[in-house]
Amino acid sequence: MQVFTDTNFEFISKRKIAYIVSLTLIGLGILSLLIHLGPNFSIDFEGGTLLDLRIYHSNDTQVSVGEIRDALAKIDMATAEIQIAEPEQRKTLPEGDKYDTYTNMMIKVKGHQKPDAEQDPLAEKIKDTIRQRYTNANLEVLRQEEVGPKIGEELKWKALLAIFWAMVGIILYIWWRFEFKFGIAAIVALFHDVLITVGIFSILNLEISLAIIAALLTIVGYSLNDTIVVFDRIRENLRLLRRQSYSDIINASINQSLSRTVITSATTLLVVLALLILGGGVIRPFAFALLIGVLVGTYSSIFVASPILVEWQLRKEAKEKRSRKERRKGRR
Amino acid sequence: MKKGFYIRLAIVVIAIALSVFYLIPTFKRAAMDDEKVETLQQENAEELYSLEEKAINLGLDLQGGMHLVLGLDKSKLETEEEKEDALKRALEVIRNRVDEFGVREPIIQKQGDDRIIVQLAGIQDEKRAKNILNKTAYLEFKLVQSGDQTQELFDKIDETLAEEEDAAEQDTTGDIQEELAKSTLLEDKPFSSLFSMGGMVSEENLPKAKNYLNKPKVKRLIPRNITISWGKPIEGNEGEQLYPLYLIKEDTRPQLTGADLENARVDFGEGLDPKTAGKPFVSLTFTDNGGDKFAELTGNHTGQRLAIILDGVVQSAPNIQEKIRGGKARITGNFSMDEATDLKIVLRAGALPIPLIIEEERTVGPTLGQDSINSGVRAALIGLAIVVAFMIIWYKGSGVIANIALAFNMLFILAVLAGLGATLTLPGIAGIILTIGMAVDANVLIFERVREELRTGKTVRAGIDAGYSRAFRTILDANLTTLITALVLYQFGTGPIKGFAVTLSIGIVCSMFAAIVITRLFFDFFVEKFNIQRLSI
């Protein structure tokens, strides 16, 4: 099967539309960030406690958010975030166990509490409180996390450094393999991708955890992947097709690499979708970030990185024209 | 055949053979059901451990377990030397305590100069584990002030407090009637009245008592060699919690601490007394030196009470009946089996030189761990199936070749993971899945290039040549950038994220090898052997 052979879409001449779309998306994202006063950081960065619990109970016991909140109020934790899933039937019942239903719940308390060596840590207190409330049930810990304030701060810092060094590495690499202006175009496209992804997360009020930062960096690497393929073609064509205008060469390059770009994105997308749908709750936010990243990354290689090269060139040509005019004027 | 074909073939075959070899332990281990594992552990634990070592390591998020970051509280230390020493000693104590858990292959490492990382796979009771690791476990043996002296002190405290309250009241009321009415035992003995027979305070009165003791006027009454220590709560007749108060003589000599212990064990009370029969207690054995000191202490103070204090809380304060020469003592006091065992563990392992703070905890239960493995593998298989189908549909015959290369790619990735002893985490599985999608990229680049070259009229052989060589540089560029970000992730990431970076990196390298070398072999072979004029691509 072959598609996209000898296409001639007008990517460059219609680039203004792309600018508007991108700016709108970024604008919405920034607006959301402002409204929410910054990204919704998980306990990885803010410190706090996360409890992912499962209660095994009998069919007629009701586990509701209200009841849990009441129970937590006793230890002054009524403001915790509580999510309760639909109760489900157990597929296999161990011997002697009479609880045939289970309900998953997630309790989050953000912000740190003073580490008190004497008292039980918060996670234990919450679990005990819930056990007391549901005496006719079995509580199991799916996972629990407690992050102290020091570690939270450090991770924020580490994440920032990671992004910084990744950018540095990338600029250096592109500078080495291509020209400087390619590097700038690529970096702008990457910032664009990260901004939109973070923006979408903010709009949907999803948490930014350490895993999401990892996803962002992966997106950066992957989007660059894509961008380089287009740049590579551009570089090749600039050498071959000297007659045509810069814009035309770039447009042609994009069209030529379109087949490959779309297909790779498609396969990666399919694979990420599989991860999103089947990978389970723990990896879902990560997969979602990757999904947005792949889509936006592909878009940016075509509609952001390449047009920037064109803009750069046009500006250069305009400057040269002006200075030539000046010189001619000067000679008269 | 084309030049170098056989060399390349040889390299690939060796790579495949090595991969299978490295993966055999993993398959063997995965194929063993729980029963077999149990039996092997009993009969030949060595073999089991070496098998597991060679197999792919599962991260804590897949096998279940606890990851702890313990921070050292160095605030009370003074010299630099002490601070350095503290980390080493704390590390050793933690190692000893973890040894007692009997967890397979625990990981205990220092991080920086003030943190210890502990990873325990398959831990079932997080609360107990944290308690054991966290406890400073400083054991002391000190004499308790006599009953008479204690009564004296209590009376003095009562007087002082009563005076204070009187003074306060005189300011507010002038009514003699009211004053008389208010004069009760409570007013005369505000402090003593909180205590029941046997010097214990109920749970509700505890804050009040502590409050009184904190008042500067009261503090001044306490002699300098005395420390007020609250004991472990005791269950009263009606099941309520009662807290005993002890006046500890800090100047007890000789000084006896946990460092003087040789061993600690859990034993069960003999005899017929329902309070102690069959109940667990901790039996202590002192070192020779410790035993001598203990004999001296008990010999010189027979008839007095000796408090056994753990981390500032009095565990019990039995009467010294006679000089004890055997160098043995016991800590009794209403322990559950778990409590006694935990106490034994921390006493045997030694006290921590400084307090530890749990700065981070991440625990995954076995249920979620297994779920994650299942979901991860399922997603990987489906992802693989989709990509395989796609490649065949899109690139036909060449697609099949790409799929074969993909299969080998997966083999290589898993083999490298096993060979390096790297750890597979859930994000790691995601990394492999991502690699599946991206591995295709290299092939797509090559195939698209070959298609182009063929369209310009080149022969099959020339088209393949040109396609591969042209695409190679692009593949290198593109993959190197993803490697850069993977490297950064490895450097700055923690646990599971590191796992992701590792599998991604390995995946990229292996996929380049598979896409470029292996597929080329196939193409070369078919083109030569069958003199293909038209390429199915």
Side-chain angles (χ1 to χ4, degrees):
Chain A
M1 229 197 275
Q2 303 201 29
V3 292
F4 297 131
T5 38
D6 304 321
T7 56
N8 201 357
F9 296 120
E10 310 230 313
F11 292 116
I12 295 300
S13 38
K14 301 246 171 67
R15 64 185 183 280
K16 293 252 160 70
I17 305 180
Y19 290 166
I20 296 179
V21 171
S22 292
L23 286 172
T24 314
L25 280 173
I26 295 182
L28 284 173
I30 294 187
L31 193 65
S32 169
L33 284 170
L34 286 173
I35 294 180
H36 288 116
L37 300 174
N40 181 5
F41 284 124
S42 73
I43 64 165
D44 290 338
F45 298 112
E46 310 233 309
T49 306
L50 168 86
L51 283 168
D52 197 354
L53 304 170
R54 178 175 289 184
I55 292 194
Y56 295 101
H57 54 88
S58 47
N59 219 341
D60 43 359
T61 315
Q62 281 281 41
V63 182
S64 74
V65 175
E67 290 178 3
I68 302 281
R69 208 176 284 285
D70 271 344
L72 290 181
K74 295 206 186 95
I75 50 171
D76 216 8
M77 283 287 138
T79 50
E81 278 178 49
I82 307 174
Q83 286 173 354
I84 300 197
E86 286 300 310
E88 299 192 35
Q89 293 295 116
R90 285 170 88 169
K91 300 195 183 100
T92 52
L93 208 57
E95 261 186 62
D97 202 321
K98 51 186 163 105
Y99 303 128
D100 57 352
T101 327
Y102 67 83
T103 307
N104 286 349
M105 71 170 87
M106 195 175 291
I107 301 177
K108 276 183 231 174
V109 179
K110 283 206 195 153
H112 61 278
Q113 37 141 194
K114 224 167 55 108
D116 199 332
E118 274 184 28
Q119 290 180 24
D120 284 334
L122 187 57
E124 306 303 327
K125 275 207 261 187
I126 294 180
K127 283 191 285 187
D128 285 337
T129 312
I130 296 186
R131 282 197 189 101
Q132 283 169 17
R133 171 70 183 77
Y134 293 96
T135 47
N136 216 0
N138 231 344
L139 190 66
E140 179 181 332
V141 173
L142 295 176
R143 80 187 147 125
Q144 80 182 39
E145 302 184 354
E146 286 208 81
V147 179
K150 266 208 302 177
I151 300 249
E153 279 302 308
E154 283 178 26
L155 279 179
K156 263 196 195 152
W157 190 232
K158 266 192 187 173
L160 234 64
L161 278 178
I163 297 180
F164 173 71
W165 282 115
M167 294 287 179
V168 165
I170 286 168
I171 295 190
L172 287 176
Y173 183 78
I174 300 208
W175 199 351
W176 172 49
R177 297 292 278 152
F178 299 81
E179 287 171 45
F180 183 66
K181 68 169 176 247
F182 282 83
I184 296 295
I187 291 287
V188 170
L190 293 180
F191 264 111
H192 164 275
D193 296 342
V194 171
L195 228 58
I196 291 189
T197 310
V198 173
I200 293 184
F201 262 67
S202 178
I203 294 175
L204 297 173
N205 210 19
L206 296 171
E207 275 191 343
I208 307 266
S209 66
L210 204 57
I212 303 299
I213 302 284
L216 284 176
L217 282 171
T218 312
I219 293 170
V220 161
Y222 180 81
S223 169
L224 198 58
N225 212 330
D226 221 42
T227 311
I228 285 188
V229 170
V230 177
F231 279 4
D232 199 65
R233 190 52 81 101
I234 292 178
R235 182 172 53 179
E236 194 186 320
N237 285 343
L238 280 175
R239 269 195 296 241
L240 291 175
L241 317 165
R242 286 183 182 273
R243 294 285 182 75
Q244 305 176 28
S245 78
Y246 203 79
S247 309
D248 285 342
I249 296 180
I250 296 200
N251 201 47
S253 309
I254 298 179
N255 276 296
Q256 284 167 22
S257 35
L258 198 60
S259 179
R260 175 260 159 210
T261 304
V262 170
I263 294 175
T264 341
S265 299
T267 54
T268 313
L269 213 64
L270 286 170
V271 147
V272 169
L273 269 172
L275 191 60
L276 183 68
I277 301 177
L278 299 166
V282 180
I283 206 81
R284 191 156 296 143
F286 180 72
F288 184 63
L290 285 179
L291 186 74
I292 301 178
V294 169
L295 288 170
V296 179
T298 315
Y299 164 88
S300 73
S301 305
I302 300 176
F303 292 103
V304 175
S306 311
I308 289 187
L309 287 177
V310 172
E311 297 292 344
W312 190 290
Q313 182 69 14
L314 288 179
R315 220 144 290 190
K316 204 171 89 172
E317 286 178 0
K319 246 203 313 191
E320 281 179 2
K321 237 198 214 162
R322 245 179 296 141
S323 69
R324 250 180 284 146
K325 263 201 203 148
E326 301 285 311
R327 266 182 276 142
R328 243 177 278 146
K329 266 203 205 151
R331 273 194 227 124
R332 290 228 190 99
Chain B
M1 271 299 190
K2 193 169 188 305
K3 199 165 53 164
F5 177 83
Y6 288 107
I7 300 179
R8 278 182 284 139
L9 185 62
I11 295 178
V12 171
V13 170
I14 293 177
I16 296 176
L18 276 175
S19 301
V20 173
F21 173 70
Y22 272 111
L23 279 177
I24 291 179
T26 309
F27 283 125
K28 268 171 94 172
R29 177 64 182 83
M32 287 166 69
D33 59 21
D34 285 334
E35 246 189 78
K36 281 213 194 113
V37 178
E38 281 290 319
T39 354
L40 191 58
Q41 180 149 28
Q42 310 283 24
E43 295 172 9
N44 194 353
E46 277 285 316
E47 203 187 305
L48 181 66
Y49 291 165
S50 98
L51 187 70
E52 294 198 326
E53 225 180 306
K54 296 205 202 108
I56 291 183
N57 282 334
L58 285 182
L60 287 184
D61 57 349
L62 293 178
Q63 60 170 316
M66 180 158 77
H67 166 104
L68 277 181
V69 176
L70 300 165
L72 274 64
D73 178 7
K74 292 188 177 175
S75 52
K76 300 222 176 88
L77 293 182
E78 289 163 359
T79 67
E80 268 311 306
E81 215 189 302
E82 273 186 345
K83 290 187 185 178
E84 271 181 46
D85 200 43
L87 180 58
K88 262 193 270 165
R89 287 169 56 202
L91 209 54
E92 210 185 302
V93 170
I94 296 288
R95 283 218 179 92
N96 288 339
R97 291 186 188 178
V98 171
D99 268 345
E100 301 270 345
F101 277 170
V103 170
R104 273 214 301 268
E105 294 184 37
I107 297 183
I108 306 166
Q109 297 167 339
K110 65 174 173 150
Q111 190 188 62
D113 62 353
D114 63 352
R115 286 213 179 116
I116 297 179
I117 301 197
V118 178
Q119 287 189 352
L120 305 169
I123 260 282
Q124 295 283 26
D125 194 336
E126 329 79 65
K127 188 169 173 179
R128 268 186 79 189
K130 280 189 283 188
N131 275 341
I132 292 184
L133 291 177
N134 216 354
K135 239 177 158 46
T136 307
Y138 188 52
L139 190 70
E140 302 169 283
F141 296 83
K142 296 216 158 88
L143 293 165
V144 180
Q145 201 170 50
S146 72
D148 293 334
Q149 289 171 306
T150 309
Q151 190 58 51
E152 237 184 84
L153 182 62
F154 272 35
D155 287 338
K156 272 200 233 158
I157 297 180
D158 281 333
E159 264 179 55
T160 317
L161 288 174
E163 272 174 28
E164 219 183 65
E165 287 191 18
D166 274 342
E169 274 173 20
Q170 263 159 28
D171 288 335
T172 51
T173 72
D175 197 325
I176 304 180
Q177 284 282 89
E178 265 188 66
E179 265 187 58
L180 286 175
K182 279 203 193 132
S183 174
T184 56
L185 187 67
L186 224 73
E187 218 184 65
D188 280 344
K189 292 183 187 288
F191 188 62
S192 309
S193 56
L194 296 172
F195 288 78
S196 64
M197 297 287 289
M200 294 191 274
V201 168
S202 69
E203 195 160 1
E204 39 170 311
N205 282 334
L206 185 62
K208 214 176 185 182
K210 283 191 174 166
N211 232 339
Y212 282 148
L213 288 169
N214 261 333
K215 289 188 183 231
K217 278 209 182 118
V218 174
K219 276 193 182 163
R220 261 180 274 147
L221 293 173
I222 303 175
R224 254 192 283 161
N225 68 329
I226 299 286
T227 312
I228 307 264
S229 270
W230 292 94
K232 251 180 66 169
I234 301 175
E235 213 176 285
N237 289 332
E238 283 134 37
E240 76 275 26
Q241 298 281 49
L242 298 170
Y243 293 81
L245 183 69
Y246 300 96
L247 294 150
I248 306 292
K249 291 190 179 167
E250 289 297 332
D251 53 355
T252 304
R253 296 283 181 275
Q255 281 187 325
L256 207 54
T257 66
D260 297 306
L261 284 183
E262 170 94 34
N263 200 2
R265 243 179 40 207
V266 175
D267 273 332
F268 296 90
E270 327 90 12
L272 300 165
D273 186 351
K275 277 216 193 105
T276 54
K279 293 249 176 78
F281 65 89
V282 178
S283 147
L284 308 171
T285 310
F286 289 101
T287 58
D288 285 337
N289 191 10
D292 290 337
K293 284 200 266 179
F294 192 52
E296 195 186 322
L297 190 59
T298 49
N300 290 343
H301 302 278
T302 342
Q304 294 180 40
R305 292 173 75 185
L306 183 66
I308 304 179
I309 312 170
L310 185 68
D311 288 336
V313 173
V314 177
Q315 301 296 307
S316 63
N319 252 312
I320 303 175
Q321 314 230 317
E322 52 178 4
K323 179 172 181 171
I324 301 179
R325 266 180 263 251
K328 281 194 196 292
R330 42 170 86 176
I331 307 180
T332 55
N334 216 11
F335 290 117
S336 68
M337 188 60 199
D338 279 353
E339 286 174 338
T341 313
D342 294 353
L343 185 55
K344 167 201 95 168
I345 291 178
V346 295
L347 287 177
R348 279 177 53 123
L352 285 171
I354 39 174
L356 292 184
I357 307 174
I358 297 181
E359 289 186 8
E360 183 183 344
E361 176 204 346
R362 294 187 197 258
T363 303
V364 174
T367 311
L368 188 62
Q370 190 58 45
D371 276 353
S372 295
I373 296 180
N374 294 344
S375 318
V377 171
R378 213 185 355 233
L381 289 176
I382 301 271
L384 199 60
I386 294 179
V387 169
V388 162
F390 181 84
M391 286 305 272
I392 295 184
I393 296 175
W394 208 265
Y395 291 113
K396 297 175 283 226
S398 307
V400 174
I401 295 179
N403 287 334
I404 297 179
L406 190 59
F408 285 128
N409 192 4
M410 293 291 110
L411 185 73
F412 293 149
I413 295 178
L414 292 175
V416 172
L417 278 177
L420 288 179
T423 305
L424 185 64
T425 60
L426 184 59
I429 296 184
I432 295 181
I433 296 177
L434 211 61
T435 307
I436 296 177
M438 290 164 64
V440 170
D441 185 16
N443 283 310
V444 170
L445 271 170
I446 296 173
F447 291 172
E448 287 297 316
R449 207 66 213 219
V450 169
R451 271 185 185 171
E452 257 185 65
E453 302 288 342
L454 289 177
R455 267 202 301 272
T456 65
K458 292 206 172 81
T459 64
V460 169
R461 208 173 294 177
I464 293 179
D465 272 346
Y468 268 85
S469 60
R470 207 48 209 66
F472 177 69
R473 270 184 49 196
T474 320
I475 296 176
L476 199 64
D477 274 334
N479 280 342
L480 262 163
T481 57
T482 317
L483 265 175
I484 292 179
T485 52
L487 210 74
V488 170
L489 272 175
Y490 182 80
Q491 185 62 28
F492 291 98
T494 59
I497 305 291
K498 262 195 166 78
F500 173 69
V502 167
T503 50
L504 197 63
S505 309
I506 296 176
I508 291 174
V509 172
C510 291
S511 71
M512 280 206 286
F513 178 70
I516 299 177
V517 178
I518 295 189
T519 55
R520 189 68 194 271
L521 276 174
F522 276 97
F523 277 120
D524 285 348
F525 177 75
F526 279 115
V527 168
E528 295 285 331
K529 260 295 154 71
F530 300 108
N531 210 0
I532 296 187
Q533 300 298 347
R534 262 196 41 165
L535 201 54
S536 163
I537 193 167

